[in-house]
Amino acid sequence: MAPVEKAKKVAKSAKKGKKHPVNSYLKGGILRYSKAQMYKRRALYRLKDKKSPVVEKVKVPIKKVKKIGGPKNGGERTVYLKKSKATYPTKTFVKKRPSKANFSEHKRNTRRNLTPGTVLILLAGRHQGKRVVLLKVLASGLLLVTGPFALNSCPLRRVSQRYVIGTSSKVDLGAFKVPEHLNDTYFRRLKAKKDKKSGEADIFAAKKERFVPNEQRKKDQKEVD
């Protein structure tokens, strides 16, 4: 369309009462007039208030001349009134971490089918493939199981639920309650202290100590069986 015809069309539409936008978009979403051009076209500078009176700020001195005694010290020295910090913290405020984040205090979850009296199949260890009876779930999340020892020679021991398959068969425990002293500390083995004073000859003479159940362990096994 020729520019003359375009101007006539705009004039006709102006007579009819149609409003044209002062600023329109070109191709690519770019405005025809910039922000500064529109400020000038609309004469917005007329609406601007008169300049407010400028209040001069009183300059506060940042340095101070300090007198220094001694014949070879120059007599005086310029010192800053506010000294800048030598080091700055990386964070403005460091929050305190909760103290209950220890792994031993985490909540333990066991599978639904692992209830007291359930017959389990061991998948690993010395007694792999044997069927045992679940007595209770300890505070550490480990399962306290027994053979009983009289049937398949599997004693009281702790097993992780990962190495266990729960079966549908169950043993009715009735009014039986597991003694309270059968907990995680009961199964903890004490390590033998090594003598640092002993020579190199004792290294070859030392042998691995085999675990031997004490009388208390044997008594508890009979009670549970």
Side-chain angles (χ1 to χ4, degrees), residues 193-206:
K193 292 182 180 179
K194 294 179 180 179
D195 294 329
K196 292 182 180 179
K197 294 179 182 179
S198 59
E200 294 181 2
D202 296 343
I203 298 169
F204 302 100

Side-chain angles (χ1 to χ4, degrees), residues 64-76:
K64 180 185 177 182
V65 178
K66 190 177 180 181
K67 289 185 178 181
I68 298 168
K72 294 182 181 180
N73 292 329
E76 58 183 29

Side-chain angles (χ1 to χ4, degrees), residues 35-97:
K35 196 174 181 181
Q37 286 173 324
M38 288 301 298
Y39 183 84
K40 190 177 179 182
R41 287 171 71 86
R42 287 175 174 167
L44 294 173
Y45 50 85
R46 293 178 184 175
L47 303 173
K48 199 173 183 182
D49 295 332
K50 291 180 181 180
K51 288 182 179 180
S52 56
V54 178
V55 180
E56 290 185 2
K57 289 183 179 179
V58 180
K59 288 186 177 181
V60 180
I62 59 169
K63 292 180 181 180
K64 180 185 177 182
V65 178
K66 190 177 180 181
K67 289 185 178 181
I68 298 168
K72 294 182 181 180
N73 292 329
E76 58 183 29
R77 191 175 296 166
T78 52
V79 183
Y80 283 96
L81 294 172
K82 286 186 178 180
K83 288 185 179 181
S84 57
K85 289 183 180 180
T87 55
Y88 291 92
T90 52
K91 288 184 179 180
T92 52
F93 179 72
V94 180
K95 290 183 179 179
K96 286 186 178 180
R97 291 182 180 178

Side-chain angles (χ1 to χ4, degrees), residues 18-37:
K18 286 184 180 179
K19 290 182 179 180
H20 287 273
V22 181
N23 202 0
S24 57
Y25 282 96
L26 301 173
K27 285 183 179 180
I30 302 167
L31 286 166
R32 185 180 295 277
Y33 303 110
S34 66
K35 196 174 181 181
Q37 286 173 324

Side-chain angles (χ1 to χ4, degrees), residues 2-218:
V4 179
E5 290 178 9
K6 194 175 184 181
K8 286 180 181 179
K9 197 174 183 182
V10 172
K12 282 180 183 178
S13 60
K15 285 179 183 178
K16 290 178 183 177
K18 286 184 180 179
K19 290 182 179 180
H20 287 273
V22 181
N23 202 0
S24 57
Y25 282 96
L26 301 173
K27 285 183 179 180
I30 302 167
L31 286 166
R32 185 180 295 277
Y33 303 110
S34 66
K35 196 174 181 181
Q37 286 173 324
M38 288 301 298
Y39 183 84
K40 190 177 179 182
R41 287 171 71 86
R42 287 175 174 167
L44 294 173
Y45 50 85
R46 293 178 184 175
L47 303 173
K48 199 173 183 182
D49 295 332
K50 291 180 181 180
K51 288 182 179 180
S52 56
V54 178
V55 180
E56 290 185 2
K57 289 183 179 179
V58 180
K59 288 186 177 181
V60 180
I62 59 169
K63 292 180 181 180
K64 180 185 177 182
V65 178
K66 190 177 180 181
K67 289 185 178 181
I68 298 168
K72 294 182 181 180
N73 292 329
E76 58 183 29
R77 191 175 296 166
T78 52
V79 183
Y80 283 96
L81 294 172
K82 286 186 178 180
K83 288 185 179 181
S84 57
K85 289 183 180 180
T87 55
Y88 291 92
T90 52
K91 288 184 179 180
T92 52
F93 179 72
V94 180
K95 290 183 179 179
K96 286 186 178 180
R97 291 182 180 178
S99 58
K100 293 183 179 179
N102 299 328
F103 179 73
S104 59
E105 295 176 6
H106 287 182
K107 188 183 176 183
R108 312 296 177 187
N109 299 317
T110 50
R111 297 201 296 269
R112 291 179 184 177
N113 62 335
L114 301 180
T115 53
T118 308
V119 177
L120 311 175
I121 302 170
L122 298 178
L123 300 175
R126 184 177 290 181
H127 303 280
Q128 182 180 353
K130 290 183 181 179
R131 278 153 178 78
V132 291
V133 181
L134 173 61
L135 297 176
K136 71 170 183 179
V137 181
L138 299 172
S140 62
L142 298 173
L143 310 175
L144 178 62
V145 298
T146 184
F149 186 77
L151 293 178
N152 58 6
S153 57
C154 182
L156 281 164
R157 61 194 295 112
R158 296 179 298 170
V159 186
S160 174
Q161 61 178 335
R162 290 184 177 185
Y163 306 112
V164 149
I165 293 176
T167 61
S168 58
S169 53
K170 261 195 168 188
V171 175
D172 186 16
L173 298 178
F176 172 74
K177 287 186 178 179
V178 181
E180 291 183 4
H181 68 274
L182 293 176
N183 49 22
D184 290 302
T185 53
Y186 178 82
F187 292 95
R188 196 170 291 165
R189 293 186 188 180
L190 297 171
K191 291 183 179 179
K193 292 182 180 179
K194 294 179 180 179
D195 294 329
K196 292 182 180 179
K197 294 179 182 179
S198 59
E200 294 181 2
D202 296 343
I203 298 169
F204 302 100
K207 293 181 181 179
K208 285 187 177 180
E209 293 182 4
R210 284 189 67 185
F211 170 73
V212 179
N214 55 11
E215 295 299 322
Q216 180 64 35
R217 185 72 71 92
K218 291 176 183 178

